[in-house]
mmCIF file of all heavy atoms in Angstrom:
data_model
loop_
_atom_site.group_PDB
_atom_site.id
_atom_site.type_symbol
_atom_site.label_atom_id
_atom_site.label_comp_id
_atom_site.label_asym_id
_atom_site.label_seq_id
_atom_site.Cartn_x
_atom_site.Cartn_y
_atom_site.Cartn_z
ATOM 1 N N ALA A 232 -59.643 33.473 -5.421
ATOM 2 C CA ALA A 232 -60.546 34.440 -6.052
ATOM 3 C C ALA A 232 -59.720 35.587 -6.614
ATOM 4 O O ALA A 232 -59.046 36.290 -5.879
ATOM 5 C CB ALA A 232 -61.560 34.961 -5.044
ATOM 6 N N GLY A 233 -59.780 35.748 -7.922
ATOM 7 C CA GLY A 233 -59.079 36.838 -8.584
ATOM 8 C C GLY A 233 -59.989 38.047 -8.721
ATOM 9 O O GLY A 233 -61.081 38.100 -8.141
ATOM 10 N N PRO A 234 -59.562 39.017 -9.513
ATOM 11 C CA PRO A 234 -60.341 40.246 -9.703
ATOM 12 C C PRO A 234 -61.752 39.970 -10.217
ATOM 13 O O PRO A 234 -61.951 39.176 -11.132
ATOM 14 C CB PRO A 234 -59.528 41.013 -10.760
ATOM 15 C CG PRO A 234 -58.149 40.445 -10.693
ATOM 16 C CD PRO A 234 -58.314 39.024 -10.275
ATOM 17 N N GLY A 235 -62.740 40.625 -9.575
ATOM 18 C CA GLY A 235 -64.126 40.535 -10.009
ATOM 19 C C GLY A 235 -64.882 39.311 -9.539
ATOM 20 O O GLY A 235 -66.028 39.095 -9.945
ATOM 21 N N ILE A 236 -64.282 38.518 -8.669
ATOM 22 C CA ILE A 236 -64.901 37.260 -8.224
ATOM 23 C C ILE A 236 -65.364 37.367 -6.776
ATOM 24 O O ILE A 236 -64.650 37.892 -5.920
ATOM 25 C CB ILE A 236 -63.889 36.095 -8.376
ATOM 26 C CG1 ILE A 236 -63.540 35.886 -9.836
ATOM 27 C CG2 ILE A 236 -64.422 34.817 -7.741
ATOM 28 C CD1 ILE A 236 -64.715 35.581 -10.744
ATOM 29 N N ASN A 237 -66.550 36.834 -6.503
ATOM 30 C CA ASN A 237 -67.077 36.768 -5.143
ATOM 31 C C ASN A 237 -66.501 35.517 -4.479
ATOM 32 O O ASN A 237 -66.897 34.400 -4.820
ATOM 33 C CB ASN A 237 -68.606 36.706 -5.185
ATOM 34 C CG ASN A 237 -69.230 36.615 -3.802
ATOM 35 O OD1 ASN A 237 -68.544 36.408 -2.802
ATOM 36 N ND2 ASN A 237 -70.534 36.764 -3.751
ATOM 37 N N PRO A 238 -65.578 35.677 -3.514
ATOM 38 C CA PRO A 238 -64.953 34.509 -2.889
ATOM 39 C C PRO A 238 -65.954 33.570 -2.207
ATOM 40 O O PRO A 238 -65.703 32.369 -2.105
ATOM 41 C CB PRO A 238 -63.985 35.095 -1.859
ATOM 42 C CG PRO A 238 -63.915 36.549 -2.121
ATOM 43 C CD PRO A 238 -65.085 36.925 -2.972
ATOM 44 N N ALA A 239 -67.098 34.102 -1.773
ATOM 45 C CA ALA A 239 -68.101 33.268 -1.101
ATOM 46 C C ALA A 239 -68.714 32.246 -2.056
ATOM 47 O O ALA A 239 -69.255 31.232 -1.610
ATOM 48 C CB ALA A 239 -69.194 34.149 -0.501
ATOM 49 N N LEU A 240 -68.621 32.474 -3.370
ATOM 50 C CA LEU A 240 -69.190 31.540 -4.344
ATOM 51 C C LEU A 240 -68.199 30.459 -4.773
ATOM 52 O O LEU A 240 -68.587 29.483 -5.415
ATOM 53 C CB LEU A 240 -69.686 32.293 -5.583
ATOM 54 C CG LEU A 240 -70.863 33.246 -5.353
ATOM 55 C CD1 LEU A 240 -71.243 33.942 -6.655
ATOM 56 C CD2 LEU A 240 -72.059 32.516 -4.767
ATOM 57 N N LEU A 241 -66.928 30.624 -4.423
ATOM 58 C CA LEU A 241 -65.909 29.634 -4.779
ATOM 59 C C LEU A 241 -65.926 28.462 -3.813
ATOM 60 O O LEU A 241 -66.126 28.640 -2.619
ATOM 61 C CB LEU A 241 -64.513 30.259 -4.747
ATOM 62 C CG LEU A 241 -64.048 30.959 -6.004
ATOM 63 C CD1 LEU A 241 -62.704 31.636 -5.751
ATOM 64 C CD2 LEU A 241 -63.965 30.028 -7.181
ATOM 65 N N GLY A 242 -65.700 27.289 -4.332
ATOM 66 C CA GLY A 242 -65.617 26.095 -3.495
ATOM 67 C C GLY A 242 -64.909 24.987 -4.249
ATOM 68 O O GLY A 242 -64.301 25.216 -5.299
ATOM 69 N N THR A 243 -65.001 23.795 -3.710
ATOM 70 C CA THR A 243 -64.418 22.619 -4.367
ATOM 71 C C THR A 243 -65.353 21.435 -4.187
ATOM 72 O O THR A 243 -66.206 21.420 -3.289
ATOM 73 C CB THR A 243 -63.041 22.238 -3.774
ATOM 74 O OG1 THR A 243 -63.188 21.963 -2.383
ATOM 75 C CG2 THR A 243 -62.016 23.329 -3.993
ATOM 76 N N ASP A 244 -65.146 20.443 -5.032
ATOM 77 C CA ASP A 244 -65.846 19.177 -4.927
ATOM 78 C C ASP A 244 -64.828 18.086 -5.251
ATOM 79 O O ASP A 244 -64.058 18.230 -6.201
ATOM 80 C CB ASP A 244 -67.026 19.134 -5.903
ATOM 81 C CG ASP A 244 -67.946 17.963 -5.633
ATOM 82 O OD1 ASP A 244 -68.175 17.640 -4.446
ATOM 83 O OD2 ASP A 244 -68.428 17.352 -6.600
ATOM 84 N N ARG A 245 -64.801 17.044 -4.449
ATOM 85 C CA ARG A 245 -63.843 15.974 -4.694
ATOM 86 C C ARG A 245 -64.328 15.089 -5.843
ATOM 87 O O ARG A 245 -65.437 14.591 -5.839
ATOM 88 C CB ARG A 245 -63.618 15.127 -3.437
ATOM 89 C CG ARG A 245 -62.453 14.166 -3.642
ATOM 90 C CD ARG A 245 -61.774 13.723 -2.383
ATOM 91 N NE ARG A 245 -61.333 14.732 -1.473
ATOM 92 C CZ ARG A 245 -60.163 15.375 -1.527
ATOM 93 N NH1 ARG A 245 -59.327 15.137 -2.507
ATOM 94 N NH2 ARG A 245 -59.837 16.251 -0.613
ATOM 95 N N ARG A 246 -63.468 14.937 -6.835
ATOM 96 C CA ARG A 246 -63.768 14.111 -8.000
ATOM 97 C C ARG A 246 -63.534 12.638 -7.672
ATOM 98 O O ARG A 246 -62.838 12.320 -6.712
ATOM 99 C CB ARG A 246 -62.875 14.535 -9.178
ATOM 100 C CG ARG A 246 -63.139 15.974 -9.626
ATOM 101 C CD ARG A 246 -62.421 16.307 -10.902
ATOM 102 N NE ARG A 246 -62.622 15.286 -11.914
ATOM 103 C CZ ARG A 246 -63.743 15.107 -12.617
ATOM 104 N NH1 ARG A 246 -64.771 15.895 -12.410
ATOM 105 N NH2 ARG A 246 -63.824 14.148 -13.503
ATOM 106 N N PRO A 247 -64.101 11.711 -8.459
ATOM 107 C CA PRO A 247 -63.897 10.279 -8.204
ATOM 108 C C PRO A 247 -62.420 9.880 -8.178
ATOM 109 O O PRO A 247 -62.047 8.940 -7.474
ATOM 110 C CB PRO A 247 -64.630 9.603 -9.369
ATOM 111 C CG PRO A 247 -65.668 10.585 -9.781
ATOM 112 C CD PRO A 247 -65.051 11.944 -9.547
ATOM 113 N N ASP A 248 -61.563 10.612 -8.904
ATOM 114 C CA ASP A 248 -60.127 10.297 -8.912
ATOM 115 C C ASP A 248 -59.385 10.914 -7.729
ATOM 116 O O ASP A 248 -58.178 10.785 -7.602
ATOM 117 C CB ASP A 248 -59.478 10.730 -10.227
ATOM 118 C CG ASP A 248 -59.565 12.230 -10.477
ATOM 119 O OD1 ASP A 248 -59.991 12.990 -9.566
ATOM 120 O OD2 ASP A 248 -59.210 12.660 -11.595
ATOM 121 N N GLY A 249 -60.117 11.607 -6.838
ATOM 122 C CA GLY A 249 -59.526 12.191 -5.639
ATOM 123 C C GLY A 249 -59.106 13.644 -5.782
ATOM 124 O O GLY A 249 -58.824 14.307 -4.784
ATOM 125 N N GLU A 250 -59.064 14.165 -7.008
ATOM 126 C CA GLU A 250 -58.676 15.562 -7.193
ATOM 127 C C GLU A 250 -59.790 16.491 -6.736
ATOM 128 O O GLU A 250 -60.969 16.121 -6.747
ATOM 129 C CB GLU A 250 -58.355 15.843 -8.668
ATOM 130 C CG GLU A 250 -57.081 15.179 -9.143
ATOM 131 C CD GLU A 250 -56.716 15.634 -10.540
ATOM 132 O OE1 GLU A 250 -57.504 15.363 -11.469
ATOM 133 O OE2 GLU A 250 -55.650 16.250 -10.682
ATOM 134 N N LEU A 251 -59.402 17.718 -6.342
ATOM 135 C CA LEU A 251 -60.377 18.734 -5.954
ATOM 136 C C LEU A 251 -60.693 19.598 -7.161
ATOM 137 O O LEU A 251 -59.826 20.298 -7.687
ATOM 138 C CB LEU A 251 -59.839 19.605 -4.820
ATOM 139 C CG LEU A 251 -59.781 18.980 -3.439
ATOM 140 C CD1 LEU A 251 -59.130 19.933 -2.442
ATOM 141 C CD2 LEU A 251 -61.190 18.614 -2.970
ATOM 142 N N GLN A 252 -61.960 19.551 -7.601
ATOM 143 C CA GLN A 252 -62.404 20.374 -8.720
ATOM 144 C C GLN A 252 -62.948 21.687 -8.173
ATOM 145 O O GLN A 252 -63.685 21.715 -7.198
ATOM 146 C CB GLN A 252 -63.482 19.655 -9.525
ATOM 147 C CG GLN A 252 -63.918 20.433 -10.751
ATOM 148 C CD GLN A 252 -64.779 19.612 -11.692
ATOM 149 O OE1 GLN A 252 -65.135 18.478 -11.403
ATOM 150 N NE2 GLN A 252 -65.111 20.195 -12.827
ATOM 151 N N VAL A 253 -62.579 22.794 -8.821
ATOM 152 C CA VAL A 253 -63.050 24.105 -8.413
ATOM 153 C C VAL A 253 -64.515 24.247 -8.819
ATOM 154 O O VAL A 253 -64.914 23.848 -9.921
ATOM 155 C CB VAL A 253 -62.187 25.217 -9.043
ATOM 156 C CG1 VAL A 253 -62.707 26.600 -8.636
ATOM 157 C CG2 VAL A 253 -60.727 25.056 -8.639
ATOM 158 N N THR A 254 -65.316 24.825 -7.914
ATOM 159 C CA THR A 254 -66.725 25.101 -8.184
ATOM 160 C C THR A 254 -66.995 26.593 -7.990
ATOM 161 O O THR A 254 -66.259 27.286 -7.280
ATOM 162 C CB THR A 254 -67.660 24.301 -7.262
ATOM 163 O OG1 THR A 254 -67.438 24.706 -5.906
ATOM 164 C CG2 THR A 254 -67.429 22.799 -7.386
ATOM 165 N N TYR A 255 -68.073 27.057 -8.622
ATOM 166 C CA TYR A 255 -68.521 28.441 -8.443
ATOM 167 C C TYR A 255 -70.035 28.394 -8.322
ATOM 168 O O TYR A 255 -70.710 27.882 -9.214
ATOM 169 C CB TYR A 255 -68.084 29.312 -9.625
ATOM 170 C CG TYR A 255 -68.155 30.794 -9.329
ATOM 171 C CD1 TYR A 255 -67.199 31.404 -8.523
ATOM 172 C CD2 TYR A 255 -69.164 31.582 -9.846
ATOM 173 C CE1 TYR A 255 -67.239 32.751 -8.240
ATOM 174 C CE2 TYR A 255 -69.222 32.940 -9.572
ATOM 175 C CZ TYR A 255 -68.258 33.522 -8.768
ATOM 176 O OH TYR A 255 -68.304 34.883 -8.485
ATOM 177 N N ASP A 256 -70.551 28.871 -7.211
ATOM 178 C CA ASP A 256 -71.967 28.752 -6.884
ATOM 179 C C ASP A 256 -72.409 27.292 -7.038
ATOM 180 O O ASP A 256 -73.466 26.990 -7.572
ATOM 181 C CB ASP A 256 -72.829 29.678 -7.743
ATOM 182 C CG ASP A 256 -74.236 29.841 -7.184
ATOM 183 O OD1 ASP A 256 -74.426 29.664 -5.962
ATOM 184 O OD2 ASP A 256 -75.152 30.114 -7.983
ATOM 185 N N LYS A 257 -71.539 26.395 -6.611
ATOM 186 C CA LYS A 257 -71.737 24.940 -6.594
ATOM 187 C C LYS A 257 -71.662 24.291 -7.972
ATOM 188 O O LYS A 257 -71.812 23.086 -8.083
ATOM 189 C CB LYS A 257 -73.029 24.568 -5.875
ATOM 190 C CG LYS A 257 -73.037 25.017 -4.429
ATOM 191 C CD LYS A 257 -74.292 24.607 -3.723
ATOM 192 C CE LYS A 257 -74.242 25.158 -2.309
ATOM 193 N NZ LYS A 257 -75.541 25.289 -1.721
ATOM 194 N N TRP A 258 -71.408 25.048 -9.038
ATOM 195 C CA TRP A 258 -71.231 24.466 -10.371
ATOM 196 C C TRP A 258 -69.781 24.035 -10.537
ATOM 197 O O TRP A 258 -68.879 24.863 -10.441
ATOM 198 C CB TRP A 258 -71.541 25.494 -11.467
ATOM 199 C CG TRP A 258 -72.984 25.793 -11.670
ATOM 200 C CD1 TRP A 258 -73.639 26.918 -11.271
ATOM 201 C CD2 TRP A 258 -73.943 24.974 -12.342
ATOM 202 N NE1 TRP A 258 -74.953 26.840 -11.655
ATOM 203 C CE2 TRP A 258 -75.167 25.664 -12.316
ATOM 204 C CE3 TRP A 258 -73.880 23.732 -12.965
ATOM 205 C CZ2 TRP A 258 -76.325 25.146 -12.885
ATOM 206 C CZ3 TRP A 258 -75.033 23.213 -13.541
ATOM 207 C CH2 TRP A 258 -76.243 23.926 -13.489
ATOM 208 N N PRO A 259 -69.502 22.757 -10.819
ATOM 209 C CA PRO A 259 -68.135 22.355 -11.156
ATOM 210 C C PRO A 259 -67.683 23.098 -12.415
ATOM 211 O O PRO A 259 -68.468 23.289 -13.353
ATOM 212 C CB PRO A 259 -68.257 20.849 -11.420
ATOM 213 C CG PRO A 259 -69.485 20.432 -10.667
ATOM 214 C CD PRO A 259 -70.417 21.612 -10.769
ATOM 215 N N LEU A 260 -66.431 23.548 -12.431
ATOM 216 C CA LEU A 260 -65.912 24.345 -13.546
ATOM 217 C C LEU A 260 -65.005 23.517 -14.452
ATOM 218 O O LEU A 260 -64.233 22.680 -13.977
ATOM 219 C CB LEU A 260 -65.146 25.560 -13.020
ATOM 220 C CG LEU A 260 -65.968 26.538 -12.183
ATOM 221 C CD1 LEU A 260 -65.077 27.655 -11.652
ATOM 222 C CD2 LEU A 260 -67.141 27.098 -12.985
#
Side-chain angles (χ1 to χ4, degrees):
I236 296 302
N237 179 350
L240 294 179
L241 274 174
T243 59
D244 192 38
R245 189 155 308 274
R246 297 189 48 75
D248 62 8
E250 290 188 297
L251 286 176
Q252 184 169 5
V253 179
T254 63
Y255 197 75
D256 195 25
K257 299 182 183 157
W258 286 105
L260 299 177

